[in-house]
Each structure stands twice: as structure tokens, then as C-alpha cells.
Amino acid sequence: MTALETVALYYEAWQQRKGDFSAVPLADDFEFTGPVASFDTAEGYRAMAREAGAAVTSFAVRRQFVDGNTVCSIVDWEMSMPALGRMTAAELLEVVDGVIVRGELIYDAEALRRAMAQANA
């Protein structure tokens, strides 16, 4: 399986499985960094994705670029949080032997932080 084919399973989990990453090949020690949360295990990431996936109302991969084992995707997504709107991010996923070992999500998360604070108030 190519890096791009592996990453397609990752995005399918967001787009069609409401954050269910059980069919996505993540390394046990999957490292993920993002502006709102970071994880150092697949188990932790999968738990977050199940919770967040329930709130995702749309998710689209706008563009993808492959550089060896790294796939860079530009994604747009919306969540069912008031006044949040569409968010756009760049995401880097590194794949080794058909398994995603590392991810980095890059975007301005200020609107999401505000919406999360309001929801938890």
C-alpha cells in the first residue's frame, strides 16, 4: 500500500466513519501534534477522533502532495459548534511500511478554542 493509499483510509475515517479510526493503520506510538491537542499513542488519538468525529458535519480534502513517505493535505472541515464556520488546515502525515507513524495539523485554532470554551461554560 502506498503512502497516499494509507492516508486515504485516514481521511475516510473523518469523512464517512464519524471519527471511527478502527480501520486506520496507526502505529501504537503514533505521534500527533496540533494547535488544540497532541497525542503520543494511537489509542489516545482514536479516543479523541471518536469524540470529535461526532461533531464534524463536513470534511473535504482540497489538495494533496506526496513527498516520499509524507503526505501533505489541505483540508476544509466544519463542526456543529455555533459560530465556528469552515476551518482550513494543512496536515502532514508520515507513513512507514503502510502504517501512519506521525501527524501534524497546522491551522489557526483561535475560533475553535473560543467555541470549545463557550460549549464548556
Side-chain angles (χ1 to χ4, degrees):
M1 186 177 296
T2 68
L4 196 55
E5 290 167 334
T6 302
V7 167
L9 297 172
Y10 178 94
Y11 288 117
E12 180 181 304
W14 283 119
Q15 294 168 320
Q16 299 170 12
R17 297 170 142 329
K18 300 267 187 216
D20 175 0
F21 273 69
S22 60
V24 179
L26 298 178
D28 290 342
D29 59 349
F30 174 66
E31 294 178 21
F32 179 87
T33 56
V36 175
S38 295
F39 302 91
D40 58 8
T41 67
E43 180 181 334
Y45 185 83
R46 284 186 171 111
M48 174 283 301
R50 278 190 301 273
E51 186 176 321
V56 173
T57 57
S58 73
F59 193 103
V61 177
R62 188 189 310 175
R63 296 284 308 260
Q64 284 187 316
F65 309 92
V66 180
D67 181 18
N69 288 336
T70 302
V71 177
C72 176
S73 303
I74 309 300
V75 298
D76 295 320
W77 82 99
E78 295 182 48
M79 298 179 81
S80 60
M81 297 177 121
L84 192 53
R86 184 181 74 186
M87 294 177 284
T88 299
E91 186 165 39
L92 298 165
L93 296 170
E94 184 179 342
V95 180
V96 175
D97 297 327
V99 176
I100 302 171
V101 297
R102 207 168 351 282
E104 181 179 6
L105 188 63
I106 305 162
Y107 69 102
D108 179 356
E110 187 56 33
L112 180 56
R113 284 190 198 99
R114 281 196 304 268
M116 289 170 63
Q118 289 176 351
N120 293 327

